[in-house]
Every structure is written in C-alpha cells, then in structure tokens.
Amino acid sequence: DTAVSQTPKYLVTQMGNDKSIKCEQNLGHDTMYWYKQDSKKFLKIMFSYNNKELIINETVPNRFSPKSPDKAHLNLHINSLELGDSAVYFCACSAGGPLEQYFGPGTRLTVT
Amino acid sequence: AQSVTQLGSHVSVSEGALVLLRCNYSSSVPPYLFWYVQYPNQGLQLLLKYTSAATLVKGINGFEAEFKKSETSFHLTKPSAHMSDAAEYFCAVSFKNYGGSQGNLIFGKGTKLSVKP
C-alpha cells in the first residue's frame, strides 16, 4: 500500500479556473503538509496542519486553502489559478514535531 | 533565521568514485537534519536523519552523513557511486522547539548528482 497518495498526478487547466488536489495518508500520522516545488526544484512549505492547528506560510496567497475532511486527508483547493501557480505540489505527513516526513508522489500542475 | 545551504547545484562523479554532497545549516537552536533523494518524476524519499543521537548517521543505499556542530555541516557521502544514485538530493533542517512551526522542514536548493559510466 502507498503510504501517501495524491490525485491527480497531472493537472492541466486554464487561468482563472478553480481546482483541487487530493492527498491521503494511511500511516496514522497526526500532521500533514503541503509543499510547492518550483521549476528550479526549490521546495517550500505552504501549510502544516494537524487536528488542532493550521499553520500557513505567510507568503502563500489566500487563493490557496487546505481542507481536511478527516485525519487521513488534506486536500488543497486553489481558486482563480494563475500562470505562476504552475509547479509540482507535494503532500507529506509526519508523526509530529521535528520527525521525518513522508512524501506523496507529487501533482504536476500546469496552468495555461 | 534558520536556513540550509547546499554547495553545488550539480555534482558529477564517475561510477565507483566517492560521492560528497555538501550541506551547511544556520540555526540558533539545536537542529534535526535530513537528507532526501528525489528520482525523476517521483516524490522525496528519506535517505537518513540526524536527531541528536550519534553524529555519524548511516542511511539507505550505502549513504552516510556526519553532523559537525563546529562546522554547522551535515555532508552526505557514499564511498562508491552507482549509476542508480543519479538523482536530486535535498538537505533539510527541522527544529524541536521553534514556536508554532516546529516540524516544518526547511530545504536546501538541492544538488543534482550525475554518475558517469
């Protein structure tokens, strides 16, 4: 079984559209994350979330919003997509604190 | 501010040669350090981690790294490169007590390792 899964793997859409990326983890971890990897491979935290607290990186536009229907899922909603949103988005999870994180396979988003 | 610097965006070695990927961190609190590997079109896989126990850490696929506090370094090494080691490698740091952001990984910009036959 895949520990962290994401759907879809590829997402091509037009500017102005609203889209969602789904993430599911079966490790029973309390904390989940979203990262953005740009074209230069740089990885940056967007959100961290557990059942108590959502921490948002202040540089993330409010067009991005995480939604967690339950402990095993953290979906990413993006409104009014822009060209600059094109990137690979990774979901990750950990048991909390400074422990290692387990990453999903990524979703390559292309905005045209 | 906490940060990670990876020296060399691209490292090329011959098969069988020593692999050395450099990572330096900046931190005002004790760090937790990680190396991740990313193969093309895949997610990140943990290679090894340092969490304040032994300073020489062994990971998967024959890799190891040594935490040197005096040098604020956590360089990744492998004695003999294999073609299958070709990938992007990321050094990352996390902190146990860092306000509300504990657990967040701060990544270096990555080093692409190429292995020549």
Side-chain angles (χ1 to χ4, degrees), chain B:
Chain B
Q2 329 297 342
S3 65
V4 175
T5 301
Q6 290 183 241
L7 296 176
S9 59
H10 191 188
V11 171
S12 182
V13 300
S14 297
E15 193 173 19
L18 172 71
V19 175
L20 171 61
L21 304 182
R22 299 178 187 273
C23 173
N24 289 86
Y25 68 92
S26 172
S27 171
S28 56
V29 298
Y32 288 58
L33 294 157
F34 307 85
W35 275 99
Y36 284 85
V37 60
Q38 184 179 27
Y39 298 103
N41 297 315
Q42 294 189 27
L44 279 76
Q45 180 182 5
L46 181 69
L47 274 178
L48 49 79
K49 61 182 179 182
Y50 166 77
T51 55
S52 75
T55 56
L56 182 61
V57 180
K58 294 186 184 301
I60 62 172
N61 302 338
F63 285 94
E64 63 181 38
E66 186 172 9
F67 172 68
K68 292 186 176 181
K69 184 177 179 181
S70 61
E71 299 177 8
T72 61
S73 68
F74 190 58
H75 301 331
L76 181 71
T77 60
K78 182 174 180 178
S80 176
H82 192 273
M83 296 296 290
S84 61
D85 294 328
E88 192 89 23
Y89 290 80
F90 293 92
C91 182
V93 65
S94 183
F95 307 95
K96 184 174 183 179
N97 296 303
Y98 187 50
S101 300
Q102 71 172 358
N104 286 358
L105 287 172
I106 299 170
F107 283 91
K109 293 189 175 182
T111 298
K112 182 176 182 179
L113 176 65
S114 298
V115 182
K116 299 174 291 187

Side-chain angles (χ1 to χ4, degrees), chain A residues 3-47:
Chain A
V4 184
S5 59
Q6 294 179 229
T7 54
K9 188 171 176 62
Y10 299 97
L11 181 56
V12 181
T13 187
Q14 293 183 328
M15 287 175 55
N17 285 348
D18 302 337
K19 291 293 180 183
S20 294
I21 305 172
K22 296 185 177 181
C23 176
E24 177 180 3
Q25 56 101 355
N26 62 10
L27 297 172
H29 286 171
D30 289 330
T31 307
M32 297 184 73
Y33 308 83
W34 278 104
Y35 289 85
K36 179 180 180 181
Q37 186 176 46
D38 64 23
S39 59
K40 295 184 178 180
K41 301 280 188 179
F42 184 56
L43 279 152
K44 194 169 184 180
I45 182 76
M46 299 178 70
F47 306 99

Side-chain angles (χ1 to χ4, degrees), chain A residues 29-77:
Chain A
H29 286 171
D30 289 330
T31 307
M32 297 184 73
Y33 308 83
W34 278 104
Y35 289 85
K36 179 180 180 181
Q37 186 176 46
D38 64 23
S39 59
K40 295 184 178 180
K41 301 280 188 179
F42 184 56
L43 279 152
K44 194 169 184 180
I45 182 76
M46 299 178 70
F47 306 99
S48 65
Y49 181 81
N50 62 24
N51 57 6
K52 301 175 186 176
E53 192 175 18
L54 170 66
I55 299 174
I56 302 172
N57 184 318
E58 64 276 7
T59 66
V60 174
N62 58 15
R63 299 181 294 104
F64 290 78
S65 58
K67 298 229 183 337
S68 181
D70 55 58
K71 183 179 172 181
H73 296 83
L74 183 65
N75 303 325
L76 182 65
H77 297 271

